[in-house]
């Protein structure tokens, strides 16, 4: 299956928090979108890897993505080395996306920046013909995505561009709340975490509102890029 967009996240729920509304919008526009989680989030204070597996499946259905996979890297301890890069290359060559979205380049959680650099490096390596990979015993052709964009997570990074997601925040919110073990629940007896408070879930909405305000729309999601963005003409801007 060739995908238009492949979204990577260090943990289940990263993709939803950083780019959930953009994913939903692209799916609604007829694009084929997939998600690859690098880890199962097994070190998370709340829930378990098994619970998060189920939540990720439920969230993927809400977003309408074509596929979701988990590479099973060690939460908190994966590194950007050859072994991990080749596993990511296999996914890129398997799905041949034109666009890759991945973690924030800088963030509170150490896995986010690590995951960001790992995926970015793998996107480059995936285009090198002399790097050989196999999937299910079959050799894979080289493939390099046209663009790599990084969504924004905990830290309030300055975006290079903002996507108008005004009609898709409701879908994003439902996809996030599919992770009921992780986010605000007044009845939960689990320990508090930085993302389990009502303030955090509220912040997802007001960040989108603020980014939307900056570009004259109701809601927005911000992204950073490693290279210049080109437009066909001035009319291409909104």
């Amino acid at each position: 299956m060739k995908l238009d967009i492949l979204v990577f996240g260090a943990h289940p729920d990263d993709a939803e928090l950083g780019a959930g509304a953009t994913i939903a919008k692209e799916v609604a526009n007829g694009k084929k979108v997939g998600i690859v989680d690098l880890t199962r989030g097994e070190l998370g204070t709340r829930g378990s890897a098994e619970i998060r597996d189920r939540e990720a499946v439920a969230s993927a259905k809400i977003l309408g993505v074509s596929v979701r996979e988990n590479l099973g890297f060690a939460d908190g301890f994966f590194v950007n080395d050859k072994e991990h890069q080749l596993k990511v290359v296999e996914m890129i060559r398997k799905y041949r996306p034109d666009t890759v979205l991945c973690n924030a380049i800088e963030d509170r959680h150490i896995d986010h920046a690590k995951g960001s650099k790992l995926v970015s490096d793998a996107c480059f390596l995936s285009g090198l013909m002399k790097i050989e990979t196999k999937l299910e015993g079959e050799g894979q052709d080289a493939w390099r995505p046209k663009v790599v964009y990084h969504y924004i997570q905990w830290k309030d990074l300055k975006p290079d561009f903002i996507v108008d997601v005004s009609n898709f925040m409701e879908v994003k919110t439902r996809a996030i709340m599919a992770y009921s073990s992780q986010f605000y629940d007044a009845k939960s007896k689990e320990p508090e975490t930085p993302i389990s408070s009502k303030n955090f879930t509220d912040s997802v909405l007001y960040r989108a509102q603020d980014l939307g305000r900056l570009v004259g729309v109701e809601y927005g999601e911000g992204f950073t890029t490693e290279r210049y963005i080109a437009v066909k003409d001035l009319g291409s801007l909104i």
Side-chain angles (χ1 to χ4, degrees):
M1 180 194 306
K2 185 190 183 309
L3 298 176
D4 299 298
I5 302 167
L6 188 55
V7 186
F8 287 89
H11 313 102
D13 74 27
D14 283 356
E16 288 86 348
L17 286 168
T22 299
I23 292 169
K25 181 173 186 175
E26 295 291 352
V27 170
N29 286 340
K31 297 293 180 64
K32 289 185 177 180
V33 184
I35 299 175
V36 174
D37 301 308
L38 302 182
T39 79
R40 298 172 70 200
E42 64 270 18
L43 293 184
T45 302
R46 296 160 68 104
S48 65
E50 292 75 20
I51 289 172
R52 296 185 79 170
D53 289 345
R54 295 193 294 269
E55 291 171 342
V57 170
S59 182
K61 290 180 179 178
I62 293 169
L63 292 175
V65 298
S66 299
V67 65
R68 185 169 204 155
E69 296 203 36
N70 194 301
L71 290 177
F73 294 168
D75 189 12
F77 294 100
F78 72 85
V79 294
N80 184 8
D81 63 3
K82 181 178 180 180
E83 178 184 356
H84 290 82
Q85 289 165 354
L86 288 176
K87 291 295 184 182
V88 177
V89 167
E90 288 175 6
M91 290 294 100
I92 295 167
R93 290 178 172 180
K94 178 179 180 179
Y95 292 114
R96 297 174 293 152
D98 298 312
T99 300
V100 163
L101 305 181
C102 58
N103 285 99
I105 58 173
E106 176 188 351
D107 214 41
R108 180 187 69 86
H109 197 298
I110 61 171
D111 281 354
H112 295 171
K114 283 194 298 179
S116 174
K117 188 67 167 63
L118 168 59
V119 172
S120 179
D121 288 351
C123 285
F124 176 81
L125 294 170
S126 183
L128 300 179
M129 296 179 63
K130 291 185 177 180
I131 293 178
E132 297 182 359
T133 58
K134 290 184 178 181
L135 193 66
E136 298 178 353
E138 296 291 330
Q140 294 180 299
D141 293 331
W143 180 272
R144 182 174 293 147
K146 294 178 181 177
V147 292
V148 179
Y149 299 137
H150 304 264
Y151 45 82
I152 295 171
Q153 299 184 258
W154 182 272
K155 289 191 175 181
D156 191 21
L157 304 181
K158 181 179 179 181
D160 291 315
F161 66 92
I162 295 170
V163 177
D164 176 6
V165 294
S166 297
N167 297 322
F168 295 92
M169 283 302 296
E170 186 272 336
V171 181
K172 171 173 178 157
T173 300
R174 286 195 291 116
I176 291 171
M177 297 313 295
Y179 295 91
S180 57
S181 69
Q182 301 301 303
F183 300 111
Y184 178 70
D185 179 356
K187 298 179 181 179
S188 176
K189 303 300 182 182
E190 295 260 25
E192 289 294 323
T193 72
I195 64 172
S196 68
S197 69
K198 187 175 185 300
N199 180 54
F200 177 79
T201 53
D202 288 346
S203 75
V204 174
L205 186 65
Y206 62 66
R207 170 182 271 176
Q209 288 176 314
D210 191 48
L211 288 172
R213 174 187 63 82
L214 293 173
V215 295
V217 300
E218 188 174 5
Y219 295 106
E221 283 184 331
F223 298 84
T224 64
T225 180
E226 300 173 30
R227 65 182 190 183
Y228 291 118
I229 298 172
V231 296
K232 293 183 182 298
D233 53 57
L234 294 179
S236 300
L237 299 172
I238 63 171

